[in-house]
Amino acid sequence: MMMEPERIPVHVSLIMDGNGRWAQQRGKERTFGHFEGVESVREISDECLKLGIRYVSFFAFSEENWNRPRKEVDTLMELFMSNMHSQFGNFMEKGVRYVVIGNRSRLSDKFNKTIDSLMEATAANDKMTMILFVSYSGKWDILQAARRMAAAGADDLEPYLATAGIPDPDLIIRTSGEKRISNYMLWQAAYSEFVFTDTLWPDFRKDSFHAALEEYASRDRRFGKVKK
């Protein structure tokens, strides 16, 4: 895939949806779809590296997802941790910085220690930043930022968001046919381009990603300005 450098987004974010439906269509438990979805994360991340995309983020688990069946939640948490451990060598070899963003007070001590260890170990990597949003909601982010801003006596919210220092997403892709933002990066997505696809997340691979990037490249982004 060839794209003009100025048409390549700096930050692509993906709302991964459809794992459960993908599994159910195959007569499997919902958790089976989550394991298959990990392969999509790896393939899309590798493709971002090849294309020179500097930031890729994945909405993996919302605060609302805590209301899912306990077995599914526990499986997801174990999957996140095991994948972090298995991918450590890959991140170091390829120069990927790993960041986890969300309301981490709801995560276990074991999970938080795994996150801290991986974030510290990869902090100096500079080829690409990969961000996993876990236990995250846009409303929570704005509220915690507002509280911190007020405590500091400041008048600019952005430095207090959980994403401070990370560019706002240029492109947000949502899979599985749903056409909503689902409480995700409400502040940061103000001028993001959106691409919605019917493809379920475990089937969203390189070709689907290229199609979304091509659609993004065809957009005329004016940020409220009049085109000259």
Side-chain angles (χ1 to χ4, degrees):
M1 177 186 180
M2 296 294 294
M3 287 180 64
E4 297 175 9
E6 64 273 15
R7 292 288 184 177
I8 295 176
V10 173
H11 181 180
V12 176
S13 192
L14 299 107
I15 300 175
M16 305 180 290
D17 199 6
N19 289 342
R21 276 169 282 169
W22 185 90
Q24 289 171 336
Q25 288 174 2
R26 289 157 177 78
K28 307 281 189 178
E29 290 188 1
R30 288 176 53 85
T31 52
F32 181 75
H34 297 310
F35 283 95
E36 188 64 26
V38 169
E39 297 306 314
S40 293
V41 172
R42 291 173 181 168
E43 185 164 322
I44 299 308
S45 299
D46 285 345
E47 202 59 24
C48 286
L49 265 172
K50 291 176 185 176
L51 294 170
I53 293 169
R54 299 293 298 172
Y55 295 82
V56 59
S57 57
F58 299 92
F59 193 18
F61 191 87
S62 71
E63 281 212 292
E64 291 80 9
N65 288 157
W66 288 109
N67 296 317
R68 290 188 175 188
R70 185 69 191 180
K71 179 182 177 182
E72 183 175 355
V73 171
D74 289 345
T75 298
L76 278 166
M77 294 300 148
E78 288 298 326
L79 180 59
F80 294 151
M81 282 192 286
S82 65
N83 189 57
M84 287 178 189
H85 285 298
S86 67
Q87 287 297 298
F88 173 71
N90 189 43
F91 292 148
M92 298 307 293
E93 178 185 348
K94 295 180 177 178
V96 175
R97 178 170 70 113
Y98 194 81
V99 176
V100 174
I101 291 175
N103 183 1
R104 289 178 53 187
S105 67
R106 302 191 67 171
L107 304 179
S108 69
D109 289 343
K110 180 181 178 181
F111 192 8
N112 275 316
K113 287 178 181 177
T114 300
I115 292 169
D116 288 338
S117 177
L118 189 55
M119 286 178 59
E120 181 179 352
T122 64
N125 293 346
D126 60 3
K127 296 296 183 184
M128 185 180 76
T129 297
M130 178 177 171
I131 305 148
L132 196 70
F133 284 84
V134 179
S135 188
Y136 177 85
S137 88
K139 290 181 179 179
W140 162 82
D141 195 1
I142 292 170
L143 182 59
Q144 65 85 29
R147 287 171 173 163
R148 292 170 60 203
M149 181 184 74
D155 58 5
D156 183 5
L157 186 74
E158 200 154 347
Y160 298 95
L161 292 168
T163 55
I166 295 170
D168 291 343
D170 300 293
L171 169 63
I172 296 177
I173 303 168
R174 181 167 188 154
T175 59
S176 88
E178 304 293 351
K179 296 179 175 64
R180 58 180 179 270
I181 196 168
S182 293
N183 198 9
Y184 181 53
M185 284 204 279
L186 300 178
W187 180 282
Q188 299 88 337
Y191 278 101
S192 300
E193 297 292 328
F194 284 82
V195 171
F196 299 102
T197 174
D198 291 334
T199 304
L200 301 177
W201 178 249
D203 291 327
F204 189 88
R205 301 296 173 95
K206 182 169 66 174
D207 290 346
S208 301
F209 186 52
H210 285 179
L213 291 175
E214 287 169 3
E215 183 172 341
Y216 167 82
S218 72
R219 306 274 180 89
D220 181 16
R221 305 185 74 201
R222 296 190 297 275
F223 301 96
K225 301 174 184 177
V226 176
K227 185 175 180 180
K228 295 181 180 179

